[in-house]
Amino acid sequence: MSRLIVKNIPNLITEAQLKTIFEKKGEVSDVKVIFKGTKNRRFCFIGYKNESDAIKAKEHFDKTFIMMSKISVDFAKTVDDPALPRAWSRHTQGSSAYQKIHKSQEPPVTKKVKKNKEEEQDQEEPKNDQKSKKFQEFLELMKTNKKTNQEISWNDNVNNQVDEIFDKIEKEKPKVVQQPKPNTLANVNERRLYVTNIPYTSTEQELRTVFEKYGTVSSLKIPKQRGGSLSGFCFVEYQLPEEAVRAFSELDNKIVLGRIFHVRPAFKDDKEEQLKQEQQLKQEKMIGEEKSSYKKFKKQQMLERLNDTTSWNTLFLNPNTIIEGICKKYSLDKKEILSEENDDMAVKMAQMETQVIKETKDWLKSVGLNIDFLKVEKNQCERSNITIFVKNIQFRVNETDLNELFSRYGQVNKVFLAPNRSIGIVTMQDDKQATNAFTNLQNYKFKGSILYLEWAPTTLMGEMNKNIEVNPQIEEQENELTRILYVKNINFSTTEKTLLKFMSSKVNDIKKVTIINKEGVSQGYGFIEFDKPESAQKALRLNNLILDDHLLQLSQSKPKPKQELNKRKQKQEIEPTNKLLIKNLPFEANAQELRRLIKQYGELKKLRLPKKLDGSIRGFAFAEFLNNEEAQNAAESLQNTHFYGRRLVIEYSKEE
C-alpha cells in the first residue's frame, strides 16, 4: 500500500521532477519511470516510506493534471498478487490472445523435415550397402593365413606398433578423480537473510522496526559505499530459524517502505568468523602478557564485560583528574588537600567529585548536547554506533591528543573535551571505524591512565526527530492490527484450509489464515488477516462459530507486550518526598561523615543508619530533610557521587 502506479504521465518528464511533485505529500523513497528501449511508456512507480503518505498522495493526485496530461494514480501490486487483473495483452505470455497467435504460427516444419530425412535415409541405404560389401571384401583379403600364420598385409606391422604406443599413453595417463560438488545448502545460515532493493534513504531504525515484526533481530548489517550512501541491500539475522522463515514468507516480493523487497537465504559470513578468531587470538595474547594468574583472571573478566552496558557509568571520573582540576581552579596545592591531618578526606573527595559532576552537566548543556539520557534506565537507552564517550582521562590530555589517538582507527568528525577533563566525546565517520576504535581503545593505557569507553546515546547530539519518525510506523502497526483477529479454541485436527473455507462462508475479504504450529503439532490458536478493518469488525460480531465440534473464540489482535519492569525498578517510581533512602554505603563510613556530606544541600531533620548485631552498619541509611525541594536537590547532586570508592544509589523513601 506504500507504492503507487501513476499512468498517463507526460512523455518528457524526468524522475527528479516527479519526485519534487510527489514529495509534497510525504517522504518519497523511490521513483521509477518505465521505458521500452529509449521510448517512455508513460507510466511510473512512486514509493513512499509510510502508507499514510501514499494514501494521501493517491487521494490528492488522482485525476489531476501534470503538464497538460491527466494522470491516474492507484496502488501498485506485485506480480504474484492474487488481486492482479488477468493478463490481456497479445504480448504477455499466458493471455488468451498470446496463445491464439502462437498456435496459428506453429508451422508443421518439423514433420516435413522428418519426412525429408526419412526419404534421404532410404535413398542412402543402397549406397551404404555397396560400401559395406566392398569393405568386407577388403577385410577378407587382409586376414592372416591360419596355416602359415604369416602376415599377408604390409600395413599390419605398423598398426601393431601404433596400438602399443597408444596403450602406453593410456596407462601413463593420470586417473581423473571426480570431485564431489560442494553442498551449497551446508553453507546457508538458517537464521540469516539477504534483503535487496531497500530504499537508499532508509535508516537502520526504520529497517529494524520492519524486521522486528517477525521476531527478535540479533544483528542488522547495512553495507555502505565509499561515499557513505547505502548499497541497496542488507543482511538480517534472527535469533531463531522459524523467525527468519516467517520474515522470508511475509516480506519476499512484497511492497515495504515504498519498494518491492526481495528476500533470499544468506550464506554463512566467513569474514565474521575470521574476525572472531582474530579477536580471540588478540585477547589470548593480551591475557598471556600478564605474569600473575590473578591479573590474567581480571584481564579475562574485563574483556568479557567489554560490551556489558549494565556496568557503564557515564559520569565516572578519575580521582587524580578531580584533584588536579580543583587545585588549578582554586590555586591550591595537592599537599593541602591530601594532608594526613585531614580526618574527613573521603567527605572532601566526594564533595569535589559532586562539584565536578555539576560542572560537567553544565558544560554538556552549554555545548548544546542533550543530557536527558541521564534520567533514563541504561537498558532502555538506545545507543549510537558512531559516537563514543571517553572516560578516566588525565588532566594533561587535550583535544588534539584524543583526535590523534582515535585517528589511528578511522576518520574523526568531532571531538569534545570538558574543561575539567571529566569526559570526552568522539564522533567517527561511520560505524565500522567507530567499532574498530572502540574495540582497540577500550581499557587502553593512555598517558598514565586506562581509558574507559562507552557508546553514547542516540539522543546526545539533539537527535530528537527520531521520535517523530517512529510515530507513523507505530500508527501503521496499529492500523495493521485492526485487520487481524486472534482465534483460539481451535480443534487440533483443524487445518488452515478448513478454517479458511469456514470463515469465507461467513465473511468476505479474508487475506490470510495462520494456525500456530510447534514441531508440526497445532497449538490450538491462530490469526485471521482481512483486507479491510470493516470485515474484521464484522467477523467479531459473529456468534456460535462451531468448527470441528469446537466453539471458536475471536478477539482483536494485540501488539507484542513490552517487557515489564521488575519490582526493583518499579520501586524507584515513587513520588518525591522529604525522605531519602541512600544505598550502597561503604561499611567504613559513619554517621558524622555522612552528615557532613549531605548537610550542604539542605537542613537535615533526621539521619538514621541501621546497624547489625555486631554494631557495623548495614550498607544503607535514611535522611530526612525539612522539605521536598532540599531532598530533591540532594538526590540530584549526589546521584553519581562515589563515597569511599562506592557509588551512592539514592532513591525516595516511602512514607511510613
Side-chain angles (χ1 to χ4, degrees):
M1 296 289 285
S2 62
R3 192 171 177 86
L4 303 176
I5 179 170
V6 185
K7 300 177 182 178
N8 198 33
I9 61 173
N11 196 17
L12 300 176
I13 198 167
T14 62
E15 292 181 352
Q17 291 173 335
L18 285 167
K19 188 174 182 180
T20 54
I21 292 168
F22 283 89
E23 268 182 343
K24 296 174 183 177
K25 292 298 173 184
E27 189 176 355
V28 176
S29 60
D30 183 37
V31 178
K32 183 69 175 176
V33 179
I34 306 303
F35 287 88
K36 187 178 182 181
T38 57
K39 186 180 178 182
N40 190 340
R41 295 188 65 187
R42 300 194 66 185
F43 73 92
C44 68
F45 294 98
I46 308 290
Y48 285 91
K49 282 194 175 180
N50 299 320
E51 288 187 11
S52 58
D53 295 338
I55 294 167
K56 290 176 186 176
K58 180 185 178 301
E59 293 174 354
H60 179 77
F61 290 108
D62 189 24
K63 296 181 181 179
T64 58
F65 287 86
I66 298 177
M67 295 183 184
M68 302 301 292
S69 296
K70 188 178 181 180
I71 62 171
S72 63
V73 184
D74 198 0
F75 294 110
K77 296 173 183 176
T78 55
V79 178
D80 57 351
D81 195 336
L84 195 70
R86 187 174 63 86
W88 58 269
S89 173
R90 61 193 176 93
H91 302 290
T92 307
Q93 292 184 3
S95 64
S96 57
Y98 180 87
Q99 290 177 355
K100 286 178 182 178
I101 292 168
H102 284 267
K103 276 184 181 178
S104 61
Q105 286 181 357
E106 285 181 357
V109 178
T110 53
K111 293 181 181 178
K112 290 181 180 179
V113 171
K114 285 181 180 178
K115 288 180 180 179
N116 293 333
K117 284 184 178 179
E118 288 176 359
E119 290 176 0
E120 288 177 0
Q121 287 177 1
D122 293 337
Q123 292 175 2
E124 288 178 358
E125 275 182 3
K127 294 180 182 179
N128 292 333
D129 290 339
Q130 292 176 3
K131 288 181 180 179
S132 61
K133 287 178 182 178
K134 289 180 181 179
F135 183 68
Q136 287 175 2
E137 289 176 1
F138 174 76
L139 290 175
E140 287 177 1
L141 290 170
M142 300 304 291
K143 282 181 181 178
T144 57
N145 191 354
K146 292 181 179 178
K147 293 179 181 179
T148 58
N149 199 16
Q150 293 178 355
E151 293 180 354
I152 298 170
S153 174
W154 59 271
N155 199 24
D156 284 345
N157 193 14
V158 177
N159 288 335
N160 290 333
Q161 290 178 1
V162 172
D163 290 339
E164 288 176 1
I165 292 168
F166 276 110
D167 289 337
K168 286 181 181 180
I169 291 169
E170 287 180 359
K171 287 179 182 178
E172 290 176 358
K173 277 184 181 180
K175 293 182 179 180
V176 179
V177 180
Q178 292 183 354
Q179 296 180 355
K181 295 180 179 179
N183 189 7
T184 55
L185 294 174
N187 297 326
V188 173
N189 191 344
E190 295 178 349
R191 299 182 291 109
R192 201 160 180 255
L193 297 176
Y194 171 58
V195 186
T196 60
N197 201 33
I198 63 173
Y200 291 95
T201 57
S202 58
T203 61
E204 184 178 350
Q205 187 63 31
E206 289 173 346
L207 292 172
R208 190 175 285 274
T209 52
V210 170
F211 295 122
E212 280 180 348
K213 294 178 184 177
Y214 310 102
T216 306
V217 177
S218 57
S219 69
L220 174 61
K221 289 191 175 180
I222 309 172
K224 294 182 181 179
Q225 299 177 2
R226 288 186 178 180
S229 59
L230 301 185
S231 300
F233 63 92
C234 67
F235 295 94
V236 190
E237 188 169 354
Y238 287 90
Q239 286 189 355
L240 299 174
E242 294 82 7
E243 297 171 346
V245 172
R246 186 185 174 195
F248 173 77
S249 60
E250 294 290 337
L251 292 177
D252 186 31
N253 204 26
K254 297 294 187 297
I255 297 172
V256 184
L257 298 176
R259 304 195 76 171
I260 300 174
F261 278 21
H262 302 291
V263 187
R264 295 291 179 270
F267 292 99
K268 293 178 181 178
D269 195 353
D270 296 332
K271 291 182 180 179
E272 279 192 359
E273 293 180 359
Q274 289 178 2
L275 288 172
K276 285 181 181 178
Q277 291 177 359
E278 289 176 2
Q279 287 180 358
Q280 286 180 358
L281 291 171
K282 283 182 181 178
Q283 290 179 4
E284 289 174 1
K285 188 178 179 181
M286 289 171 67
I287 294 167
E289 289 175 356
E290 302 293 341
K291 294 181 180 180
S292 65
S293 59
Y294 176 75
K295 286 185 177 180
K296 289 180 180 180
F297 174 72
K298 296 299 287 184
K299 195 88 171 179
Q300 188 172 0
Q301 274 189 335
M302 178 268 294
L303 292 170
E304 288 174 357
R305 291 199 303 257
L306 191 65
N307 293 318
D308 185 12
T309 58
T310 56
S311 63
W312 288 351
N313 180 13
T314 305
L315 295 175
F316 175 81
L317 303 176
N318 188 341
N320 191 30
T321 304
I322 295 170
I323 295 169
E324 288 184 6
I326 294 294
C327 290
K328 186 175 181 180
K329 185 175 181 179
Y330 296 103
S331 302
L332 297 173
D333 192 5
K334 279 188 180 181
K335 293 179 181 178
E336 298 177 14
I337 299 173
L338 301 174
S339 176
E340 296 179 357
E341 298 175 358
N342 292 330
D343 298 331
D344 53 352
M345 179 62 65
V347 177
K348 285 186 176 181
M349 284 296 301
Q351 289 173 348
M352 287 189 291
E353 184 181 11
T354 306
Q355 182 179 344
V356 174
I357 288 172
K358 185 178 181 303
E359 292 174 358
T360 304
K361 290 180 180 179
D362 295 339
W363 170 77
L364 288 170
K365 289 180 182 178
S366 66
V367 176
L369 302 177
N370 185 15
I371 62 170
D372 292 338
F373 68 92
L374 295 172
K375 302 174 184 177
V376 183
E377 292 291 334
K378 293 178 183 177
N379 296 333
Q380 297 176 359
C381 185
E382 293 183 5
R383 301 285 175 171
S384 173
N385 56 358
I386 58 171
T387 308
I388 302 171
F389 279 140
V390 187
K391 300 172 290 185
N392 200 33
I393 305 170
Q394 286 287 350
F395 192 77
R396 62 177 180 272
V397 176
N398 52 33
E399 289 184 3
T400 54
D401 295 333
L402 280 180
N403 197 349
E404 289 176 2
L405 178 65
F406 279 84
S407 296
R408 301 175 190 174
Y409 306 99
Q411 186 174 348
V412 178
N413 285 348
K414 291 181 183 178
V415 175
F416 298 98
L417 184 62
N420 53 20
R421 307 298 189 269
S422 57
I423 193 169
I425 302 168
V426 180
T427 304
M428 305 295 288
Q429 187 180 15
D430 55 24
D431 52 350
K432 288 184 179 179
Q433 296 176 6
T435 305
N436 189 21
F438 188 88
T439 52
N440 285 284
L441 294 177
Q442 179 71 282
N443 297 289
Y444 178 77
K445 194 171 183 180
F446 183 60
K447 294 196 174 182
S449 64
I450 296 174
L451 297 180
Y452 299 142
L453 304 185
E454 175 185 342
W455 290 112
T458 53
T459 57
L460 178 68
M461 299 294 182
E463 299 173 8
M464 301 305 293
N465 295 328
K466 287 199 171 183
N467 297 329
I468 299 170
E469 293 178 0
V470 175
N471 288 333
Q473 293 174 356
I474 295 169
E475 289 178 2
E476 284 180 23
Q477 188 176 2
E478 291 176 354
N479 292 333
E480 285 182 7
L481 291 172
T482 57
R483 298 186 291 103
I484 301 172
L485 296 182
Y486 171 66
V487 192
K488 62 180 181 179
N489 198 32
I490 302 173
N491 195 325
F492 294 113
S493 61
T494 303
T495 61
E496 292 180 353
K497 289 183 179 179
T498 55
L499 181 59
L500 177 62
K501 187 177 179 181
F502 176 75
M503 291 302 298
S504 298
S505 63
K506 307 289 182 183
V507 188
N508 297 325
D509 300 329
I510 295 177
K511 185 178 180 181
K512 188 179 179 183
V513 172
T514 305
I515 296 176
I516 305 302
N517 295 322
K518 190 175 182 181
E519 296 180 359
V521 180
S522 173
Q523 299 299 299
Y525 67 95
F527 299 92
I528 302 174
E529 186 176 353
F530 295 85
D531 288 328
K532 299 177 182 178
E534 294 80 10
S535 303
Q537 297 301 319
K538 185 179 177 182
L540 275 175
R541 291 191 289 269
L542 296 175
N543 297 319
N544 299 324
L545 295 174
I546 299 173
L547 177 63
D548 295 336
D549 299 329
H550 277 239
L551 180 64
L552 301 180
Q553 299 178 14
L554 304 180
S555 61
Q556 193 72 51
S557 182
K558 297 178 181 179
K560 190 176 180 181
K562 295 181 180 179
Q563 294 181 353
E564 295 181 357
L565 298 173
N566 55 27
K567 294 180 180 179
R568 186 176 178 183
K569 291 180 181 178
Q570 288 177 357
K571 286 181 181 178
Q572 296 177 4
E573 298 177 1
I574 301 170
E575 293 183 0
T577 61
N578 65 333
K579 188 182 285 187
L580 296 179
L581 170 62
I582 305 171
K583 298 191 290 186
N584 200 31
L585 276 175
F587 298 106
E588 301 89 349
N590 54 46
Q592 293 178 356
E593 292 177 334
L594 189 59
R595 187 180 291 275
R596 282 198 295 268
L597 177 63
I598 297 173
K599 69 179 183 180
Q600 60 180 342
Y601 303 105
E603 188 173 349
L604 267 176
K605 189 177 178 181
K606 187 179 179 182
L607 180 66
R608 185 168 66 89
L609 274 78
K611 294 184 179 181
K612 299 179 183 178
L613 294 174
D614 58 357
S616 61
I617 65 171
R618 298 182 64 182
F620 61 93
F622 295 95
E624 187 176 354
F625 292 84
L626 285 177
N627 51 48
N628 295 355
E629 290 77 13
E630 292 178 351
Q632 187 177 358
N633 184 26
E636 291 177 358
S637 302
L638 296 172
Q639 190 63 49
N640 295 286
T641 301
H642 290 75
F643 190 41
Y644 278 106
R646 301 187 74 169
R647 184 186 175 188
L648 298 179
V649 179
I650 301 175
E651 301 173 2
Y652 290 104
S653 178
K654 288 183 180 180
E655 293 184 359
E656 296 179 0

